[in-house]
Amino acid sequence: MASPGKKSYPLRIDPVLWAEIERLAAQELRSANAQVEFLLREALTRRGIKPLPPPKSPPA
């Protein structure tokens, strides 16, 4: 289930690439989904596109 305010998108990805994303996510204490979002934001920034900061989670 997608988080409120986030777009859900099915992604077809090479299994070897996905395994590396999962490995990197574990090293950085993120979920694989959060890692993909982080990498996309990083790629946009490198191209000179300033994405909006990620929304803050409401206090629990």
Side-chain angles (χ1 to χ4, degrees), residues 2 7 9 17 19 22 25 28 31 33 36-37 39 42 47-48 50 52 54 56-59:
K7 171 77 176 151
Y9 181 82
L17 180 57
E22 288 181 315
E28 298 185 4
S31 68
N33 189 71
V36 169
E37 190 171 346
L39 292 170
E42 187 177 61
R47 288 179 171 249
K50 180 135 173 66
L52 296 174
K56 296 195 178 216
S57 300

Side-chain angles (χ1 to χ4, degrees), residues 13-26 32:
I13 190 166
D14 182 276
V16 174
L17 180 57
W18 185 252
E20 287 302 314
I21 289 170
E22 288 181 315
R23 185 186 60 76
L24 185 58

Side-chain angles (χ1 to χ4, degrees), residues 25-47:
Q27 286 178 348
E28 298 185 4
L29 302 176
R30 291 187 180 102
S31 68
N33 189 71
Q35 188 68 34
V36 169
E37 190 171 346
F38 175 83
L39 292 170
L40 288 171
R41 287 179 181 281
E42 187 177 61
L44 287 173
T45 299
R46 274 190 265 127
R47 288 179 171 249

